[in-house]
Each structure stands twice: as structure tokens, then as C-alpha cells.
Amino acid sequence: TKWAINQQRHREKVLNMNTMNPNVKRVEYAVRGPIVQRAVQIEKELKEGVKKPFSEVIKANIGDAHAMGQKPITFFRQVVALCAYPDLLEDNKFPDDAKNRARRILQSCGGGSLGAYSASTGIEVIRQDVARYIEKRDGGIPSNPDNIYLSTGASDAIVTMLKLLTSGEGKTRSGVMISIPQYPLYSAALAELAAVQISYYLDEDKCWGLDVSELRRAVEAAREHCKPRALCIINPGNPTGQVQSRQCIEDVIRFAAEERLFLMADEVYQDNVYAEGCQFHSFKKVLFEMGPEYSNTVELASFHSTSKCYMGECGFRGGYMEVINMDPQVKLQLTKLVSVRLCPPIPGQVLLDLVVNPPRPDEPSYERTANLEILAEKAKLTEQIFNTVSGIRCNPVQGAMYTFPRLTLPEKAIAAAKEKGQAPDMFYCMKLLEETGICLVPGSGFGQRDGTHHFRMTILPATEKLKIVLENIRAFHKRFTEEFS
């Protein structure tokens, strides 16, 4: 019958690899890529009793503090619990400061419930608390709650900002400058938006430093094929763990002003600074201290999150962005764009409020967490142990939660990887996973200079476990080098 013939002809799916959005096919995100998928498979095999040379998979591929055994901050969880289930406000197990905080937040929620939508930009009292936090952080430079947009983790705000910046066709397409190595959210979002990625390289020999002459080289080369519009900076660095000096930030701001670039400052690791002589300087603070010539003109969006620092509350997806010097008409468009998704998750907003407004020393719930001191020790330990291995070279981990060591791989290993159609560091990391159960991300997933090989490893595992991980990587590297020499 005619119907059957038509059915034959249309048996193919409406949505298939030829009809789907071609930009999505170009998206890659190494932090949860093929190595991680294999790690999950291995975990299942271990559960089913398959014999392996190790008893557990250690996922050192992602900055997920609680998954690595870090304990939540009690006060944060108490307030979230009270907000989620207000009947607990009658319970005398909870300290008064936690109850007062929960009441204040619930009063600003529709119907006194976390289940109500908030304003699209986020709950107003929370935006006011964020503004106060930024003012205190920056030594009194004013922050206006109207410039603050709460978001679903920092990632959501970063992608929203990139959407606003993307336009044009052919040679007028927007170009966005990102550091190499970079956090793959940036390359993924630019691929999805069909924008042009302008790569600038960090200097590994100068502890992953940023040099303005390299920014200039990158922007001039890019002008041939796109319209450079924005410059993204990650400080402290991910995956490279460097902390930018004040001088460097000033140079970057001058460069952005000269080249008329919109600045995006990803500052989610701002509390994670460990190395002596290193200090976090926010782009906003430096911008305002450089005087009105810059502070009245340079357009800046800066981002922060509940997922890192000492909290590590990744699952709540809380974050914010502050915009400075944004065209008022564009700002209305930004508000419209975020309103399409209604609002960021309310529990994430609550958690963000507690991060920017923690208990004061005179309140019963005040607790000094040792999380950052422990991370500082682990940063040092990681650098020291890696640098005892011939064929691994590791820069100091000045900040953030990762190390990005450089590997010297034997020619035979590089050839073996080529035969498999894999990047050499992917081949290395896959073999490491199969033999030791340690899951790392190859440097090729973040971008690196041609001919160099790296991996990214988080320093989050508990100190004792981290020592075992480092020891196992050291032994593996030795075996790997012997096998392919």
C-alpha cells in the first residue's frame, strides 16, 4: 500500500546525525569525556566481582570536593534543611543563628516556600548580600545589587554572557579570546554558538604566566578571519593553578581598553590561593583602582560560584555574575534572556547567600574550616612528589584545585597512540586508568602547545589517599617509560 511505501521511506529518524544541529556535534567536554565513561564501566565491573589490580576507581578528573570525601559545612546544611522543611524551625536541635537566617530567607520567598519561583535575576535580599560581600572583598569599592545576576553555578552565567556577545557571519563573526590550556566549558560553548575561538597561550616556563605580547599576537592574527569581541581570563587558573599578579591584571585591563574587548573574569577559585607571595586580586577592584579612565569605560563581567573554595557545594548549582559598564539597553536584553529560564534553582540561591554571608565570629555557628590549609598542604605535596619523577615536570600549584604536569613520553608510546588514533596523553591516561584505577583528564582536552603532553589532576583526595595516588602515578610512569623505551 501507499502508506507502507511512505513508512519505508520515512523509517529514518526525524532527528538524526544529518538533521541535528551541526554545532552540537563540534562540542567536546573532556572533564566528562571517554576516560570518565570508561571509569564508570570499570566501577561496575569491580562491583560485579571482576578482578583488577586495584580495589577502587579514584576519580581525580573533576573538582568535586564532596565526592572526594570533604565534609559539608554544618551551618550551610542546617539552613538549607530549615528552608526546605520549615517545620524544623520548631526543633531545638538547630542553633538560633541558623533559624534566624532561614526565616530571613523564607520571608523573601513567594509564599514563604523554596518551591516558589524567584525573580529571574535571583532573590533580592540575596543579591543585596552578594553586593555587600563584593564591597567587603574589594575594600569598599561599591557594588550595586542591580548589577548582580544569580545563576545556576557560574557555568550558566558564562554561557549566557557568551550568547550575548555572539553575532555576525563569515569574517564578522564574534571572536572570543580564551587561554590555552583552558577549562573546556569555554571551547564547548563557543562551538555550540558558532563563535570563533581565539587561542592565546599561557607560558608554562613562567609558571603558566600571561604575557600581553601573546594576547596581542593572538588578537592580530584573529582579525584576519573574525571580529574579536571578548577576552576571557580564569584567575586563579583552571587547569593550570596559577594566580595572577596585580601588575598582570592591570596590563590585561589596559589591553582590553586599547583593543575594545569585553572582559570576562572567571574568579570561581578566588579563595583557593596557597602559594606564599600570591594573593587574589579581583578584576573589578584593580579596574576601579586604575581610575575613571578605565573604571568608567571597560566592560566587565565577573563570575563566582558555590562549587569551589572551602565549600565545594557543586551539586547545589549556585553562582552569580556581576556586570560593570554594560550598555543599559543590552542589560535589559540580558534580563530578558535570563527570564526565559524563569530563575536559578532556589536551594542554590540559599546556599550562595550563606557563602557570601557566613556566620560571624560572635554567632554560635561560627566555625573556622581547615579546608583551605589542607588544600595548601596538598598543593605543595603534589608538586614535590611529581618533581621527583623523571619524565614529569610540575609547576607550583599556586591556587585553584588542580595540577597540570607536563609529561615527557617515549617516541614508541607516541607512535602506539597514533596507531590507535588517540592523542598521546589520552593513550597514557587510559592506560593509567586500566592499570591503577586512577582517572585523570588528558591535557589534550584543555588545549596545549603542539608537541607537549600533560594531564590535569585534582588535589582534592584526602591527604593519605592523595599520597597513594601520587605514588601509584609515579610507579606507573616508570613502568610506562620502560615498556615503550
Side-chain angles (χ1 to χ4, degrees):
T1 67
K2 192 169 177 188
W3 180 82
I5 292 164
N6 264 347
Q7 281 300 93
Q8 273 312 120
R9 190 178 309 145
H10 295 299
R11 181 64 47 83
E12 181 171 280
K13 301 272 188 208
V14 173
L15 177 62
N16 59 39
M17 292 302 280
N18 297 323
T19 62
M20 74 173 282
N21 178 342
N23 295 329
V24 173
K25 285 191 259 186
R26 287 203 291 275
V27 170
E28 282 178 17
Y29 186 69
V31 175
R32 292 200 168 179
I35 290 213
V36 184
Q37 287 152 13
R38 177 63 189 131
V40 172
Q41 255 178 334
I42 291 176
E43 277 184 321
K44 283 200 184 114
E45 291 172 15
L46 283 170
K47 271 203 188 93
E48 289 158 7
V50 178
K51 281 278 165 274
K52 301 266 177 200
F54 48 87
S55 58
E56 62 166 339
V57 170
I58 297 175
K59 292 202 180 105
N61 61 301
I62 196 162
D64 191 350
H66 291 209
M68 285 285 172
Q70 184 178 307
K71 293 278 168 278
I73 306 284
T74 311
F75 179 75
F76 290 0
R77 292 303 182 87
Q78 285 175 332
V79 178
V80 172
L82 290 162
C83 289
Y85 189 53
D87 288 8
L88 293 173
L89 287 163
E90 308 309 314
D91 190 317
N92 55 16
K93 280 197 201 72
F94 292 85
D96 287 342
D97 55 347
K99 288 181 177 178
N100 294 340
R101 196 65 68 86
R103 286 191 191 101
R104 175 175 178 258
I105 291 168
L106 286 171
Q107 278 160 10
S108 57
C109 292
S113 167
L114 291 197
Y117 290 127
S118 75
S120 301
T121 53
I123 294 172
E124 187 166 0
V125 297
I126 299 179
R127 295 201 334 268
Q128 289 164 354
D129 285 351
V130 170
R132 271 195 292 274
Y133 163 83
I134 292 172
E135 269 177 33
K136 191 173 161 210
R137 179 197 70 186
D138 292 343
I141 291 162
S143 174
N144 180 349
D146 291 343
N147 289 336
I148 288 161
Y149 289 76
L150 306 191
S151 58
T152 310
S155 309
D156 175 49
I158 289 166
V159 172
T160 301
M161 214 48 246
L162 289 172
K163 274 184 190 162
L164 280 180
L165 282 157
T166 305
S167 69
E169 304 263 303
K171 284 193 169 181
T172 65
R173 272 200 308 170
S174 300
V176 178
M177 301 184 71
I178 65 174
S179 62
I180 298 295
Q182 53 109 23
Y183 176 56
L185 164 71
Y186 291 90
S187 51
L190 294 175
E192 189 184 334
L193 295 166
V196 179
Q197 172 179 324
I198 304 172
S199 302
Y200 65 88
Y201 289 92
L202 301 175
D203 186 346
E204 185 168 11
D205 295 329
K206 292 190 178 144
C207 202
W208 298 111
L210 171 53
D211 189 343
V212 171
S213 62
E214 169 58 12
L215 292 179
R216 203 149 268 132
R217 176 207 65 77
V219 83
E220 278 162 14
R223 286 222 159 86
E224 310 283 310
H225 56 266
C226 69
K227 178 115 185 59
R229 274 251 161 73
L231 167 57
C232 300
I233 304 280
I234 309 176
N235 177 48
N238 174 9
T240 41
Q242 81 288 12
V243 177
Q244 286 189 344
S245 68
R246 206 207 138 87
Q247 182 58 53
C248 175
I249 294 172
E250 280 189 28
D251 294 346
V252 167
I253 290 170
R254 277 191 205 96
F255 171 81
E258 281 163 30
E259 300 291 343
R260 294 184 48 75
L261 294 168
F262 188 105
L263 258 179
M264 289 174 65
D266 177 340
E267 299 175 332
V268 303
Y269 295 100
Q270 54 189 263
D271 291 340
N272 299 97
V273 175
Y274 319 119
E276 266 173 52
C278 283
Q279 198 190 337
F280 170 74
H281 303 278
S282 79
F283 264 79
K284 183 187 177 190
K285 180 174 194 261
V286 176
L287 177 65
F288 277 77
E289 287 172 352
M290 286 170 73
E293 177 193 350
Y294 295 100
S295 62
N296 291 339
T297 58
V298 174
E299 295 152 73
L300 169 71
S302 58
F303 307 90
H304 196 15
S305 154
T306 63
S307 302
K308 308 300 172 190
C309 299
Y310 64 94
M311 312 76 69
E313 292 279 12
C314 304
F316 277 91
R317 312 306 300 124
Y320 73 76
M321 122 173 112
E322 183 182 29
V323 295
I324 306 289
N325 293 324
M326 184 178 258
D327 179 304
Q329 298 303 118
V330 173
K331 206 163 150 221
L332 291 172
Q333 297 291 321
L334 167 60
T335 305
K336 175 184 79 178
L337 191 55
V338 297
S339 71
V340 175
R341 312 237 289 255
L342 292 162
C343 68
I346 308 300
Q349 295 190 41
V350 172
L351 199 93
L352 177 71
D353 187 64
L354 306 173
V355 167
V356 297
N357 185 15
R360 293 183 306 277
D362 59 339
E363 292 183 306
S365 297
Y366 180 73
E367 61 177 301
R368 230 186 126 268
T369 159
N371 288 347
L372 292 175
E373 282 106 72
I374 294 167
L375 278 171
E377 282 163 25
K378 295 198 279 197
K380 215 177 217 128
L381 177 78
T382 303
E383 176 202 344
Q384 283 167 348
I385 292 185
F386 275 148
N387 282 328
T388 64
V389 185
S390 148
I392 297 183
R393 208 185 90 221
C394 181
N395 269 321
V397 182
Q398 298 175 332
M401 302 177 167
Y402 314 98
T403 174
F404 198 68
R406 184 163 172 174
L407 297 168
T408 306
L409 300 177
E411 284 309 317
K412 273 189 185 160
I414 295 170
K418 204 173 184 177
E419 233 165 88
K420 281 197 149 177
Q422 287 179 348
D425 42 25
M426 172 68 126
F427 175 75
Y428 179 93
C429 288
M430 204 53 115
K431 213 164 156 48
L432 175 77
L433 173 66
E434 297 289 354
E435 289 183 24
T436 67
I438 297 167
C439 180
L440 304 177
V441 193
S444 44
F446 300 90
Q448 53 197 350
R449 282 201 183 271
D450 279 349
T452 68
H453 314 293
H454 301 81
F455 59 74
R456 183 185 84 162
M457 183 184 102
T458 169
I459 61 170
L460 287 170
T463 309
E464 287 317 304
K465 191 173 265 192
L466 182 65
K467 284 180 183 161
I468 296 167
V469 168
L470 293 167
E471 213 27 76
N472 286 348
I473 294 173
R474 172 157 65 180
F476 168 81
H477 190 84
K478 199 164 171 270
R479 285 200 306 276
F480 182 91
T481 308
E482 281 165 9
E483 183 184 340
F484 289 100
S485 60

